[in-house]
Each structure stands twice: as structure tokens, then as C-alpha cells.
Amino acid sequence: MPQLKIGPFYLGKPDADDREAVESASRVLPFNFPHVGVTRTAPPLPEDVAAEGWTVDHNRVMVGRGRAAYGKARRLLEEWRHFDLGWACVNAPTVKPGAPVVVTALSLFCWTCNPLRISYVEECALRRGSKQQLPPWSGAPPAAAAGARLQEQWLQTLRGVLPGRPSGDQTQPQAAAVAAARPPRGRRYAFAHTTLGGHQISGEERFTVAWNAEDDTVWYEIYTLSRPGTLVASAAHPVLRAFQRKFAADSCDAMQREMAAGAGSGK
């Protein structure tokens, strides 16, 4: 039975009919983000995009070692296991350009169903000397501390005591400097979904798994470019930022948990 809806908010968790209605609409809705695909080579962002003042969240965590671990992480990403969060879930479409994505999430006391569309999917080798984005392992926090650090960030933000830029963010000069100092070598799989009209946010989010051939580590990365897409989201921006940080923390934890599951049995 469809849930009672007030504006963009549902008073109970949206059921299958609610989610299917949003998914159907998302097949034809226009993007509400003007730089579709810009996260493909970020960071750093093009200077003209960076000058527009978008909020950038860049979080990453080590999830394993070896080519087999990279293959498993890639499969988990394609299965949307990084979205198995309880308070947030996704319709889990086949990962391909143009696929409609519906993110259902609980924010404080209300639920939302927000439409997105996969804007690109790519897998490539990372080679020294190639012009590519900052590799996920550059400047990354230790794996054991990452989830706890991100979780504490979101809790502090919700309490209103965290000033300024989160420690997971990087400025344009920092990103460019690290990219130049640490040219990547390995393999990378990534896809992004971009917000559509009716989404409370305007932006693009890239999910990446990458294998670093130099030390055999495997990384999971979330790179998000966003700002409020509606007046409601603008008014609730501090709460929105808190839940964006919570998503990053929980998603990193979910990938680490899924990668650890069955590790001893070779699954």
C-alpha cells in the first residue's frame, strides 16, 4: 500500500509501488546537474566547475589485497552491496549507462525516494604518466580507522559542532599536487549516477574500486559533487550534510564487511 506523502517526503518507508513510480519517471526526467560526467576525471575538478562552489566529498578505504580481491570488490559494486545500509537502499539496476536509479533513504523522521541515472561506467588500466584522476589510495586514511573516523564526523556534524570542511575533502591544489607526486599504476572500475529533476540534491556521485599494483592493495572510493537542489534541501542543509557523511561512513563499512565475508573460504 502506498505511503502517505507530503511534498517530497513519505511518512513511512516507500513501498514497491512508490519506488516503481519514481523509477518509471526517472527514465525520462532531465538531469538537474549541469556538468554530467565531470567526476570521470576528478579530482582535480576543471577550474570553471570548481569556481562554482560545489561541495566535494572524497572518501576512500582499503578493502583488501590482490587481483582476486579487486575482482570481488568489482562484483560487489555491480551488485550495489555498498548500498546495503538499512536506512538507505537502492533499486539495484544493472550497472550500465542510462539505467534508472532510485535511492530510498530515511532522514530523521521522513523517507525520500530520489531519482538518478547512471551517467557512465568504465574500467581501465592505471599507468604511470597517463593523465588520470587522483588514484583512490593517494592520501587515504588507514583502513582500520577510516570507518570510525567518518562515523564520528557525521555524528559531530549532526550535533552542529564540526566547523568547516570535513577532513575527507581535498582542495583543488592539494588534489593536483598529490596526483602529480603519486602517478597511479594498477586497475580501476568506476561508475557514477547523476541526479535528476525532483531530486533534493543536484550533483553526481562516483563509486570506484581500484587495485594498486605497487603494493597490491585494493581500495573503495566515493567521490561526490553536490549542492542542494530544492528550497527544502537548502533550508535543511546542515542535516543533509550530516546524512551525506553518514552515508560515506556506512558505505565504507559495508564494503569492508562484505569483502571480509567469506575471505577465509576463498569466496
Side-chain angles (χ1 to χ4, degrees):
M1 179 179 178
Q3 294 291 334
L4 179 62
K5 185 180 180 184
I6 301 176
F9 302 107
Y10 297 82
L11 299 187
K13 186 174 183 178
D15 65 9
D17 290 339
D18 294 318
R19 297 191 298 271
E20 287 173 7
V22 176
E23 180 176 336
S24 178
S26 68
R27 298 179 187 278
V28 295
L29 286 170
F31 291 111
N32 70 352
F33 177 65
H35 307 293
V36 177
V38 73
T39 60
R40 186 189 296 265
T41 56
L45 290 167
E47 291 185 3
D48 58 332
V49 178
E52 294 177 5
W54 296 88
T55 297
V56 176
D57 289 301
H58 190 188
N59 297 283
R60 57 270 199 227
V61 65
M62 194 179 83
V63 295
R65 290 183 180 274
R67 288 295 296 268
Y70 168 75
K72 180 177 180 178
R74 185 185 188 280
R75 290 192 299 273
L76 291 174
L77 211 60
E78 290 180 319
E79 295 170 1
W80 296 86
R81 303 298 285 275
H82 55 296
F83 252 99
D84 281 350
L85 308 181
W87 65 273
C89 59
V90 69
N91 60 325
T94 300
V95 176
K96 61 181 181 180
V101 179
V102 179
V103 173
T104 302
L106 175 64
S107 301
L108 295 181
F109 306 110
C110 297
W111 290 84
T112 57
C113 260
N114 284 307
L116 306 95
R117 190 177 301 132
I118 294 179
S119 46
Y120 65 83
V121 183
E122 63 181 15
E123 185 170 25
C124 61
L126 300 176
R127 298 183 178 88
R128 288 190 178 279
S130 61
K131 293 183 178 180
Q132 301 182 63
Q133 77 290 338
L134 181 72
W137 51 84
S138 294
R149 180 183 61 82
L150 291 170
Q151 189 73 23
E152 182 60 24
Q153 276 190 3
W154 106 263
L155 288 172
Q156 289 179 338
T157 305
L158 195 57
R159 298 184 192 118
V161 299
L162 183 66
R165 179 186 297 272
S167 62
D169 294 353
Q170 285 186 311
T171 64
Q172 286 286 104
Q174 286 174 333
V178 175
R182 293 286 303 276
R185 189 169 68 87
R187 194 157 187 84
R188 167 184 177 271
Y189 172 77
F191 71 87
H193 56 197
T194 308
T195 57
L196 304 175
H199 199 299
Q200 294 301 300
I201 295 171
S202 172
E204 188 168 274
E205 187 167 50
R206 185 189 73 221
F207 303 104
T208 305
V209 292
W211 168 60
N212 181 355
E214 296 180 4
D215 62 7
D216 211 28
T217 55
V218 177
W219 295 82
Y220 168 58
E221 175 192 51
I222 311 169
Y223 185 85
T224 307
L225 192 65
S226 69
R227 66 185 177 199
T230 66
L231 291 176
V232 172
S234 295
H237 193 235
V239 175
L240 171 65
R241 293 295 296 134
F243 277 91
Q244 285 181 314
R245 291 194 177 98
K246 176 174 172 57
F247 171 77
D250 289 358
S251 186
C252 285
D253 286 345
M255 280 295 283
Q256 285 189 313
R257 183 173 59 250
E258 292 287 346
M259 288 293 292
S265 60
K267 293 182 180 179

